[in-house]
Amino acid sequence: MAGCLSMSFIFLCVFMCCCSERVMGGDPDSLQDFCVADRQGKVLVNGFSCKDPKMVSAEDFFFGGLRRGDTNNAVGFNVTAANVNQIPGLNTLGISLVRIDYAVDGINPPHTHPRASEILVLLKGQLLVGFIDTTNKFHSKMLKKGDVFVFPKGLLHFQQNVGVRNAVAIAGLSSQNPGVQVTANSLFAANPPMPDGVLTKAFRSDKTVVDFIQGKFM
Ligand SMILES: *[C@@H]1O[C@H](CO)[C@@H](O)[C@H](O)[C@H]1NC(C)=O
């Protein structure tokens, strides 16, 4: 009986180790060479169903659109994405990238990617970057051209152009579809809006302050 129990315990441990390894990685591993996204597919799966491999061509793995984004907006930055929505061949491969353009003083405001870690390389300019971990410790660096910085999966992070010219970065992400949640917009520009009572309490503030900030997102 005791032997039986310990055997099941070992199996349970092995099973849990296998599972937790999956949870710690990025997107699930591919079980074939590729599974090019079939956007017309009627089957609902985690990602997109596969296009017939005989119909796949080099175009499915190509994107010609990673050009300069227009930074003429309230925060002075622009993210141009190259993920499964632009490149169907990325389906099931667990990677994607973005190009980020920053105007002088521009920021990529504090945000999170629910499904991806990010590795950023600065191609031009000077950036202040940072993330906050779950103990609220702030990890920050000043980057110059050629420097690389990592933002761990799910953690709140930002980049700010502190140079005198525009800046450009490329970032790789460990998901075909990293997702993004911009914290200020989520809190102050949700639709329908977050209840005032939640925001006033959370920010230890009052309705005047909350209304003022919400007004900035109109
Ligand atoms: C980002 O740049 C593209 C291409 O110039 C432009 O169409 C888009 O409106 C810009 N997005 C923002 C938020 O400014």
Side-chain angles (χ1 to χ4, degrees):
M1 187 61 189
C4 216
L5 269 179
S6 60
M7 270 311 256
S8 346
F9 182 69
I10 290 167
F11 278 125
L12 185 67
C13 288
V14 170
F15 178 73
M16 281 166 65
C17 286
C18 294
C19 290
S20 62
E21 215 170 323
R22 291 220 149 240
V23 169
M24 283 163 70
D27 294 351
D29 273 342
S30 251
L31 301 175
Q32 58 245 316
D33 281 0
F34 47 74
C35 166
V36 172
D38 174 8
R39 294 195 208 288
Q40 268 69 53
K42 298 276 184 289
V43 190
L44 301 179
V45 292
N46 185 19
F48 294 93
S49 54
C50 310
K51 190 169 160 180
D52 179 351
K54 290 191 287 298
M55 306 299 286
V56 167
S57 78
E59 288 306 309
D60 292 314
F61 302 94
F62 173 79
F63 177 57
L66 212 62
R67 306 212 169 81
R68 187 175 196 287
D70 180 3
T71 56
N72 190 14
N73 53 52
V75 278
F77 89 111
N78 196 315
V79 176
T80 308
N83 59 44
V84 72
N85 298 303
Q86 290 77 30
I87 310 176
L90 281 180
N91 191 38
T92 74
L93 297 187
I95 53 167
S96 61
L97 62 79
V98 291
R99 168 185 172 141
I100 315 167
D101 288 284
Y102 311 83
V104 175
D105 287 335
I107 62 161
N108 184 357
H111 64 279
T112 59
H113 302 293
R115 292 177 287 277
S117 292
E118 173 174 349
I119 181 164
L120 177 144
V121 57
L122 181 60
L123 300 184
K124 183 181 164 192
Q126 205 185 346
L127 289 182
L128 174 71
V129 301
F131 69 85
I132 300 169
D133 70 22
T134 59
T135 69
N136 268 353
K137 183 173 175 187
F138 179 45
H139 306 257
S140 181
K141 281 291 277 189
M142 195 70 85
L143 304 188
K144 50 191 186 334
K145 185 176 166 178
D147 289 348
V148 170
F149 198 73
V150 173
F151 306 103
K153 182 172 178 172
L155 298 185
L156 190 65
H157 63 283
F158 74 93
Q159 301 103 36
Q160 178 176 33
N161 182 1
V162 291
V164 293
R165 284 189 197 86
N166 66 313
V168 183
I170 298 281
L173 292 133
S174 63
S175 170
Q176 65 176 35
N177 182 24
V180 61
Q181 196 159 30
V182 182
T183 311
N185 300 54
S186 298
L187 291 171
F188 295 102
N191 181 23
M194 283 275 272
D196 277 345
V198 174
L199 293 173
T200 52
K201 262 277 199 288
F203 287 90
R204 300 167 201 201
S205 178
D206 57 41
K207 193 167 168 344
T208 325
V209 174
V210 166
D211 286 348
F212 175 78
I213 301 175
Q214 279 172 334
K216 297 282 179 191
F217 290 87
M218 298 285 177

